[in-house]
Amino acid sequence: MAHLLLTHGYFMHEDPKELQIRKPYVPLGILYICSHLRTKGFDVEVFDTTFSSMENLSQRLQWGVPSVLGVYANLMTRKKVVRILQIAKEVGWKTVVGGPEPGAYVSEYLSAGADVVVIGEGERTMEELLPALQDGSDSALLRVNGIAFKDSSGRVRQTAERMQLSNLDAQPWPARDAVDIGRYMRTWRDAHGRSSLSFITARGCPYKCQWCSHQVFGMTHRRRKPAAVVDEVEWILAEYQPDMMWIADDVFTIHHGWLRAYAGEMRRRCLNVPFECISRADRLNDEALDLLSELGCYRLWIGSESGSQRILDAMQRGVTAGQVQSAIAKCRQRGIQSGMFLMWGYEGEEIEDIEATIEHVRRSNPDVFLTTVSYPIKGTPYYNRVSQSLVEIRPWRDSSDRELVITNRRSPEFYERADRLLRDEVALDRLTAEKSREREAEELRTRIKILRDRLYADSHEARA
Ligand code: B12
């Protein structure tokens, strides 16, 4: 059976921003594919790019007999993945790409050097695809669901949709032994004093937030059994002894009955480990927050996006700003740190919506908040809505969806200013709480006034 080499395009050392953050997590997607294929008898190797370089990967690809290379791609890694595909093709590899981005850009990836694009979950598709690639005929490939490829006449063919795995508990755990977990943990410890490892308890998210990509798991939500997840957690703790964990689910607290059972099983086995996860304000009641606190949740990320209900509704976010504020207050009562994700520049956002977001963050007063200027991910309803106004400033291969310019939106400088205003307003609230820092507060008030005047003046100017 052909040898499969799996890789991704995330090179921490080639990205100054990631090098500064230094919070790497193992690439769970390819590790799930690896363990699945190994149990089916395939010969699978993982080249983990996280601590490596393009040069080392290139050397690996040039060494030995080329076979099949499988690459994970998301919107941030596109440029690197395209380069990897080019190198691999030059030295004779068959190339397959999968992950959240390629299904939305089938013809682009096929033109960039992928022989096959895998759409959706990769485990079963790869199991069938590897023998089909060895066969090499169009008819063999056409029998594999969930792929796209160029047939021998050069026409792009897409096969029927791949059914999703119905029983996640029947799947082996991700092949963590295929990467250097010690290096991940050391990187965390050296930079942050504590190490962290990730796992998932479910796949897919049923909510309809218009900007979010459902490319891989569709609108399904499939959960593993609580005891099966606890088995994995118990094993990770015994095997690697991480100081904390990251539950990499889209929304960890969707199902309160599940959470109750999971907490019960963790309690029964006397397991407790600090962790962080993501949730939604409407899935956080007192009981869920008590359970999170008991389980060791030290930081809860809450998707918030905007403080303007009009914008939240336009996003079909399904939460109110009030729910977010109340969830954050409840976290504080329980000693759980809160993190907020916010987005500037969503369609229809006006200066009063920006003010509402600033007011919202001030009222919520989270421990951390992260902001981005909204960007349309291909395949999402948001992308479709703004597609007529999109301008690619660089060729697809050298760019990402984050770099798409939406005409009739305000300039990047405008959003930078809005962001600074938000941060200054929050900083001012914190300064005014300390009486001795009145002079600094006064200076900040002056800066805020200048910033706000400038923002209002800019908001009346013509858009990009
Ligand atoms: C955890 C997470 C993170 C974490 C950590 C990432 C990590 N290394 O674990 C953090 C917080 C750092 C993060 C950051 C970002 N993330 Co993120 N993240 C996720 C999340 C929630 C889980 C990832 C995961 O472990 N999934 C579980 C595995 C099993 O799924 P999978 O990776 O998709 O793999 C399956 C298939 O894709 C396929 N497959 C995967 N690889 C391959 C390879 C081959 C060859 C084949 C055939 C198949 C295949 O088979 C796998 C098994 O079925 C996903 C959403 C999600 N639920 O997947 C978003 C997601 C991947 N992130 C996303 C985004 C946008 C980002 C950011 C850009 C956000 C931002 N504004 O900063 C950054 C980019 C960071 C970077 N430099 O790459 C998007 C990507 C969209 C896209 N089209 O690319 C997603 C899909 C969220 C969404 N729904 O919009 N993220």
Side-chain angles (χ1 to χ4, degrees), residues 29 33 71-72 74-76 99 122-123 203 212-213 217 250 375:
I33 295 177
V71 195
Y72 166 87
N74 68 27
L75 65 84
M76 295 300 281
E123 288 90 340
R203 286 190 185 183
C212 184
S213 164
F217 303 123
D250 294 292
Y375 52 91

Side-chain angles (χ1 to χ4, degrees), residues 272-286:
N272 191 282
V273 57
F275 71 97
E276 56 183 320
C277 63
I278 303 177
S279 189
R280 296 168 50 93
D282 59 325
R283 300 309 303 148
L284 289 167
N285 59 15
D286 283 313

Side-chain angles (χ1 to χ4, degrees), residues 6-7 10 15 18 23-30 32-33 69-77 96-101 104 118 120-123 125-126 129 165 198 200 202-204 211-217 246 248-250 278 372 375 377-378 401-402:
L6 286 169
T7 193
Y10 170 74
D15 184 332
E18 292 292 323
K23 292 188 171 177
Y25 284 107
V26 300
L28 285 178
I30 55 173
Y32 267 110
I33 295 177
L69 175 72
V71 195
Y72 166 87
N74 68 27
L75 65 84
M76 295 300 281
T77 56
V96 182
V97 283
E101 177 165 279
V118 168
E121 284 180 317
E123 288 90 340
T125 306
M126 285 304 274
L129 179 61
L165 296 168
S198 60
I200 59 168
R203 286 190 185 183
W211 34 262
C212 184
S213 164
H214 287 254
Q215 188 66 46
V216 176
F217 303 123
W246 160 250
D249 292 6
D250 294 292
I278 303 177
T372 41
Y375 52 91
I377 302 178
K378 179 101 185 280
D401 287 355
R402 283 188 84 157

Side-chain angles (χ1 to χ4, degrees), residues 74 380 426 431:
N74 68 27
T380 60
V426 171
L431 274 184

